[in-house]
Amino acid sequence: MHENREICGASRPPQGRDRSEKAISRTADRNAPEKSDQAIVPVNLSNKEEQPSAEMGEGRAWAKENIVQVHTSPTQSGKRVSQGLGGVRQAAKARKQERFTALLHHVSLNRLRDSFYALKRNAAPGVDGVTWNEYETGLEGRVADLHSRVHRGAYRAQPSRRVYIPKADGRQRPLGIAALEDKVVQQAVVTILNNIYEEDFRGFSYGFRPGRNPHQALDALSVGLDRKRVNWVLDADIRGFFDQMSHEWTVRFVEHRVGDPLIIRLIRKWLTAGVSEEGQWSATTVGTPQGAVISPLLANIYLHYVFDLWIEAWRRKVAKGDVIVVRYADDCAPRAQRAEEGLMCVTA
């Protein structure tokens, strides 16, 4: 059993990659005629030795990296780190207030190619109508052209194709299916940013993270109920979270750690690309498409600042008893010894 990082510091090996998707209900996999692309999330190096007990047990395999040891200064402080993503992770771990000002060069030809092969091959196409198999034909030329456009600033994000899948309660959940090149670039950026944010995210956050899955979150709940004196359990879900995320605050939260204006520009493009439904384009002023490769990471960044850091401070300064939290994307289940402590999650 995977023990809750807040309850026990025992290190456990990962039980596979997280394949769950908040945008799809528990029964949607059987009912939906179309699915958005869910990228294979790259795994990262374990840092359990230096982590607090709340985050121990995050052992992971080392991701495929650029191993060329050319030195650069991709941080605001100007301290020299290696060009590979290992250097980014090392700097993120050592300097928690650092802003990374040079990240776009990590969107390399090799990383774009790897990102393409990380995508689902049978995923539904976006507004471009291009499938994975079609894009693979002449892949090297396509990737070289995409790389050039990204680095010249000529890359343009396309709107997401809007489709609907049934929810368990009978309602329809909107999904946004990105164009294939948007998925490729988004996956490359996610790979880069994971090396920063996996050093920041808290141990009680399980959704859409490398080496974590829904079963581990359920195991953490089970261990908490079994080993702690729990009097109150609250299950909270933020209504319409992905659809209502503020673009302004999303970017501001990302900018706490990312100071590269070119990466920020890419994120703004994806947030404001709009949606296409039955051939009609409409603007998006709030929200991030459920089903886009970048959306789960943006959601975790957003909730890291508005919920995770807040609840840590709350239980440290206000709570009179034990308060244990398990969060999976915008679902959370705080457990508490006292009723007044259990009520805190209503604000989420």
Side-chain angles (χ1 to χ4, degrees):
M1 176 178 290
H2 286 272
E3 309 206 352
N4 191 324
R5 277 68 174 172
E6 299 185 315
I7 298 170
C8 176
S11 176
R12 302 288 184 182
Q15 294 297 307
R17 294 171 178 172
D18 177 13
R19 297 179 183 272
S20 179
E21 190 169 337
K22 174 63 179 67
I24 303 178
S25 70
R26 293 177 178 85
T27 59
D29 284 343
R30 299 192 300 270
N31 300 327
E34 294 188 273
K35 295 182 182 179
S36 60
D37 185 88
Q38 177 67 25
I40 299 172
V41 182
V43 294
N44 297 297
L45 179 66
S46 170
N47 54 11
K48 60 186 178 183
E49 290 80 10
E50 279 86 11
Q51 286 183 325
S53 59
E55 298 193 14
M56 290 183 69
E58 297 186 20
R60 304 183 186 94
W62 180 244
K64 191 174 184 180
E65 304 290 3
N66 175 4
I67 60 173
V68 180
Q69 296 301 311
V70 178
H71 293 278
T72 184
S73 300
T75 62
Q76 192 175 41
S77 68
K79 295 183 180 180
R80 304 187 74 82
V81 297
S82 66
Q83 187 182 35
L85 291 186
V88 173
R89 189 176 183 112
Q90 181 182 4
K93 183 176 183 178
R95 302 190 288 279
K96 294 297 185 180
Q97 303 302 315
E98 196 71 74
R99 295 180 73 229
F100 291 80
T101 57
L103 292 173
L104 189 69
H105 68 280
H106 291 292
V107 183
S108 62
L109 279 168
N110 288 338
R111 182 148 291 115
L112 289 172
R113 185 187 304 106
D114 291 344
S115 297
F116 168 76
Y117 281 110
L119 301 176
K120 276 188 175 180
R121 304 189 178 196
N122 60 347
V127 295
D128 58 349
V130 179
T131 66
W132 190 95
N133 288 324
E134 291 171 345
Y135 199 83
E136 189 184 27
T137 303
L139 178 64
E140 293 306 314
R142 293 176 185 269
V143 169
D145 177 64
L146 178 60
H147 176 267
S148 175
R149 282 183 279 126
V150 168
H151 286 266
R152 287 187 290 113
Y155 162 79
R156 297 290 181 266
Q158 299 189 59
S160 298
R161 183 168 69 88
R162 175 68 55 81
V163 297
Y164 295 88
I165 61 172
K167 298 178 65 174
D169 59 6
R171 292 181 297 166
Q172 297 287 311
R173 184 189 300 279
L175 288 184
I177 302 178
L180 195 138
E181 284 194 336
D182 292 333
K183 296 175 187 178
V184 172
V185 182
Q186 287 180 21
Q187 177 57 38
V189 171
V190 166
T191 302
I192 296 164
L193 296 186
N194 270 343
N195 284 273
I196 299 172
Y197 288 104
E198 281 301 302
E199 296 298 333
D200 293 351
F201 290 156
R202 295 318 195 237
F204 54 77
S205 168
Y206 289 87
F208 310 120
R209 293 182 57 189
R212 294 190 168 207
N213 58 49
H215 299 291
Q216 292 171 328
L218 292 173
D219 286 347
L221 282 171
S222 177
V223 171
L225 291 170
D226 183 59
R227 299 191 182 184
K228 291 290 185 177
R229 291 180 6 182
V230 176
N231 296 325
W232 294 86
V233 178
L234 272 74
D235 180 14
D237 180 12
I238 304 175
R239 180 180 299 173
F241 174 69
F242 281 85
D243 297 331
Q244 299 299 323
M245 281 173 56
S246 163
H247 290 176
E248 177 187 358
W249 281 104
T250 299
V251 172
R252 289 175 68 175
F253 290 144
V254 172
E255 287 178 333
H256 280 308
R257 286 294 245 166
V258 179
D260 188 334
L262 300 177
I263 294 292
I264 297 299
R265 184 183 178 191
L266 286 175
I267 292 174
R268 287 187 184 275
K269 286 182 178 182
W270 294 324
L271 290 174
T272 60
V275 297
S276 177
E277 185 173 354
E278 297 181 351
Q280 297 295 317
W281 179 86
S282 59
T284 49
T285 57
V286 294
T288 182
Q290 298 188 44
V293 176
I294 194 69
S295 294
L297 177 60
L298 294 181
N300 269 335
I301 294 171
Y302 199 104
L303 289 168
H304 171 74
Y305 287 103
V306 302
F307 181 77
D308 296 355
L309 297 184
W310 167 78
I311 204 169
E312 277 193 341
W314 188 94
R315 65 182 176 182
R316 183 174 65 251
K317 297 178 181 179
V318 179
K320 297 179 176 62
D322 284 340
V323 178
I324 303 164
V325 180
V326 173
R327 179 174 71 77
Y328 195 94
D330 60 321
D331 291 300
C332 65
R335 293 148 296 165
Q337 288 180 290
R338 300 165 61 93
E340 57 268 32
E341 268 112 52
L343 294 176
M344 65 186 171
C345 199
V346 173
T347 51

